[in-house]
Amino acid sequence: MGKDRTDKSLPQPHKRPSQARAKFTVDSLYEGFVRIWRRDGPEAATTRAIAEESGYAVGTLYEYFPNRTALLSGYVRHCMEQLCSDLAAANTALAGEPWETRLRKLVRLTLDEDGQAPYFDREMLERENQIASDARHRQIFQHLARTWSHCIAQWEDFPGPVDDTVIDILLLTLWGGRRYSFLVDAGTPDQRGELSTRMARALLLPEE
């Protein structure tokens, strides 16, 4: 069995922005990075090109990222944090709605069937082994699972608690399916969203 890779052995951002101005700068760098990636291809997304596209000196980029691989690492983490934030916000916005309505929304967000999530593609997926340790993958998945668990706990009309193992299995199916969809194309977004919601409903409901 291979030894787990650690974050220390992989390129990582220098620091995470905490002040509003720093967050704006990093978000702008991510936006510039995505524009180049989509327009000109991954290899064109050099640190200098990203800085110029974003309107910053390359030295500003290096304050946060030692290289473009570290920037990709930060961007992927940003995508996951945005997903968890969107899930929590959507669940709160639907307070008072039937739990089936809230479930449908969470499923569609997790699958990005509405196409509103930060840009992510097959090439980024294939480079994940360069930027994420095994521990980081587990950490990200656990964050997503906790977010779902917290959302479900707010469904006052839901008939019974849900075991954490059930949530893990549900997300392995949904999140794994979303990632695999970059490799194959099966069904329309509406079909995937509706069928996945039916599956999630059956999995979450307590056995009679």
Side-chain angles (χ1 to χ4, degrees):
M1 182 178 295
K3 184 179 180 181
D4 277 6
R5 296 168 303 145
T6 65
D7 286 341
K8 291 182 179 180
S9 67
L10 297 169
Q12 296 293 318
H14 285 313
K15 58 184 178 180
R16 301 185 67 177
S18 57
Q19 302 298 321
R21 184 174 181 178
K23 290 180 180 179
F24 178 84
T25 299
V26 170
D27 285 346
S28 297
L29 291 169
Y30 287 153
E31 290 170 4
F33 160 70
V34 169
R35 285 196 299 271
I36 295 173
W37 184 285
R38 299 184 69 177
R39 183 185 65 221
D40 305 322
E43 299 311 316
T46 64
T47 53
R48 184 170 298 279
I50 294 167
E52 291 177 355
E53 179 77 19
S54 307
Y56 293 99
V58 70
T60 300
L61 184 150
Y62 285 135
E63 291 179 17
Y64 299 96
F65 308 102
N67 52 47
R68 68 175 184 174
T69 303
L71 191 148
L72 176 59
S73 174
Y75 177 72
V76 171
R77 182 172 61 190
H78 162 73
C79 290
M80 289 303 305
E81 290 175 345
Q82 186 64 54
L83 170 59
C84 290
S85 176
D86 289 346
L87 288 169
N91 194 61
T92 299
L94 291 173
E97 294 291 333
W99 69 266
E100 291 97 335
T101 300
R102 300 169 88 173
L103 172 63
R104 185 177 299 109
K105 183 63 175 180
L106 296 192
V107 168
R108 292 191 67 88
L109 282 172
T110 302
L111 296 176
D112 190 29
E113 297 299 354
D114 297 325
Q116 299 301 309
Y119 181 76
F120 195 82
D121 63 16
R122 176 174 177 168
E123 185 73 22
M124 291 179 179
L125 176 66
E126 291 176 345
R127 295 187 183 210
E128 278 194 349
N129 68 320
Q130 302 174 22
I131 62 173
S133 67
D134 302 326
R136 178 58 58 84
H137 278 295
R138 288 191 291 268
Q139 183 183 46
I140 288 174
F141 183 82
Q142 289 165 1
H143 184 198
L144 181 59
R146 286 195 302 270
T147 301
W148 261 81
S149 180
H150 179 71
C151 288
I152 293 173
Q154 296 177 4
W155 300 349
E156 296 180 356
D157 59 335
F158 187 75
V162 178
D163 188 83
D164 288 343
T165 301
V166 172
I167 295 177
D168 286 350
I169 292 172
L170 172 60
L171 290 178
L172 282 172
T173 304
L174 294 177
W175 186 242
R178 174 177 172 178
R179 291 164 66 82
Y180 201 70
S181 69
F182 289 114
L183 306 178
V184 298
D185 185 20
T188 66
D190 284 341
Q191 288 173 329
R192 289 193 295 266
E194 185 59 34
L195 292 174
S196 295
T197 299
R198 288 166 57 185
M199 176 200 66
R201 184 180 186 278
L203 189 58
L204 292 175
L205 281 173
E207 296 183 3
E208 297 181 356

